[in-house]
């Protein structure tokens, strides 16, 4: 049976940071909706042009575009053992669509680590985040600095600050999260797959707590 994990949490909770480590440990692909949008924006595809209009405002990309993009990604051969989803689903409609897609692959959402962090800390994390141009690896100028300023430790590419990590857009994104994504906590709680993770701890500790939750999953 494939293993599907959904990382849930507000912008800046540490989903990308954790996803990278967990996906490597579990040997499943890390699928970040935000990274796929940014790749499309960089390559100026139709999807990228459409997505960019809303991303700069801190709003969500329409469900139909997002769902089609994720379905396509989950259909790739490397997802046969499962996948770690980061940033998707973000609305109840996307969550329902995901359940249907996974049924087609004879799977389901097995675990939802919900990484929670107080709002003030989120703003500090996002406004100090530096992202790698090549593969989206993330660093923080204070909490997780790269060895060399402006360079990714992992692939050596340039680090940049995302346009939507400006304080005004960050505040808007947190508001959108509270309105549109928060209902998913109850949804996954009802399905019995939600695990609460304290995201205000050190990066290594958060990883250890998520790994403990994964070890308890019965496939
Ligand atoms: P998300 O994908 O949920 O938006 P990221 O993984 O990109 O979050 O993390 C947001 C910022 O916070 C990044 O700059 C990252 O380096 C930093 N960060 C992530 N986890 C922690 C942590 N546990 N403690 C301190 N800083 C963290
Ligand atoms: P963060 O890491 O801070 O949580 P992401 O990289 O996941 O941010 O997302 C950046 C932006 O991309 C979002 O603010 C939104 O505009 C868009 N986006 C990402 N995932 C989705 C999704 N599942 N549905 C709609 N829009 C999305």
């Amino acid at each position: 049976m494939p293993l599907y994990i959904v990382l849930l949490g507000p912008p800046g909770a540490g989903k990308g940071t954790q996803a990278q480590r967990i996906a490597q440990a579990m040997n499943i692909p890390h699928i970040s909706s935000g990274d796929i949008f940014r790749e499309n924006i960089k390559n100026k595809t139709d999807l990228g042009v459409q997505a960019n209009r809303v991303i700069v405002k801190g709003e969500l990309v329409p469900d139909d575009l997002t769902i089609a993009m994720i379905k396509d990604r989950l259909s790739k051969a490397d997802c046969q053992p499962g996948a770690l989803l980061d940033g998707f689903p973000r609305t109840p409609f996307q969550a329902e669509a995901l359940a249907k897609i996974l049924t087609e692959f004879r799977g389901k959402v097995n675990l939802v680590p919900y990484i929670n962090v107080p709002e003030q800390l989120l703003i500090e994390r996002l406004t100090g985040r530096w992202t790698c141009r090549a593969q989206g690896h993330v660093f923080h100028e204070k909490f997780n600095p790269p060895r060399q300023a402006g360079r990714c430790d992992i692939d050596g590419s340039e680090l940049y600050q995302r346009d939507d990590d400006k304080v005004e857009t960050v505040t808007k994104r947190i508001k959108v999260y509270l309105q549109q994504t928060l209902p998913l906590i109850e949804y996954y709680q009802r399905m019995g797959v939600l695990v609460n993770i304290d995201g205000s701890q050190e990066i290594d500790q958060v990883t250890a707590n998520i790994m403990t939750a994964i070890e308890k999953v019965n496939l």
Side-chain angles (χ1 to χ4, degrees):
M1 287 271 277
L3 172 70
Y4 294 107
I5 302 172
V6 167
L7 283 185
L8 203 59
K15 299 182 297 297
T17 302
Q18 296 301 328
Q20 210 193 314
R21 294 159 156 241
I22 306 284
Q24 203 164 20
M26 299 304 298
N27 208 12
I28 51 176
H30 165 202
I31 301 181
S32 156
S33 42
D35 282 354
I36 307 178
F37 285 133
R38 283 184 288 280
E39 192 62 29
N40 276 278
I41 293 168
K42 191 165 79 182
N43 295 331
K44 300 193 170 66
T45 66
D46 286 350
L47 174 65
V49 172
Q50 290 190 66
N52 196 41
R53 287 191 200 120
V54 275
I55 291 179
V56 292
K57 291 191 275 180
E59 290 164 11
L60 294 185
V61 179
D63 279 339
D64 54 346
L65 292 178
T66 308
I67 291 164
M69 173 181 92
I70 292 293
K71 184 171 184 187
D72 178 62
R73 180 64 190 88
L74 283 169
S75 311
K76 300 262 157 45
D78 65 332
C79 293
Q80 250 160 29
L84 177 59
L85 290 161
D86 154 19
F88 180 92
R90 253 180 163 92
T91 64
F93 190 79
Q94 291 180 12
E96 295 286 355
L98 177 64
K100 282 194 206 119
I101 294 167
L102 296 187
T103 310
E104 287 178 33
F105 303 140
R106 304 192 187 291
K108 63 181 180 103
V109 172
N110 301 101
L111 183 74
V112 180
Y114 164 46
I115 309 178
N116 199 12
V117 171
E119 188 165 333
Q120 188 44 49
L121 199 53
L122 293 176
I123 296 172
E124 216 182 329
R125 283 190 183 180
L126 291 168
T127 53
R129 169 160 70 182
W130 288 79
T131 303
C132 126
R133 286 244 186 247
Q135 297 184 69
H137 299 120
V138 286
F139 297 87
H140 191 280
E141 55 196 29
K142 266 207 321 231
F143 306 137
N144 181 26
R147 282 192 295 273
Q148 189 191 338
R151 286 274 145 222
C152 176
D153 286 358
I154 300 161
D155 59 33
S157 76
E158 184 201 6
L159 298 178
Y160 74 104
Q161 287 193 290
R162 279 168 44 180
D163 274 350
D164 61 343
D165 279 346
K166 289 191 300 268
V167 71
E168 315 82 73
T169 324
V170 162
T171 315
K172 168 76 182 179
R173 283 161 60 205
I174 295 172
K175 217 176 185 173
V176 167
Y177 165 82
L178 294 173
Q179 282 169 355
Q180 306 204 47
T181 311
L182 210 58
L184 294 188
I185 293 165
E186 214 188 311
Y187 172 86
Y188 284 121
Q189 209 156 29
R190 276 203 306 275
M191 285 172 50
V193 290
L194 195 90
V195 178
N196 282 292
I197 302 286
D198 176 1
S200 63
Q201 304 175 88
E202 294 283 325
I203 294 176
D204 285 345
Q205 187 57 53
V206 178
T207 309
N209 294 348
I210 298 174
M211 288 305 293
T212 302
I214 295 174
E215 280 154 22
K216 292 185 188 147
V217 172
N218 286 316
L219 279 186

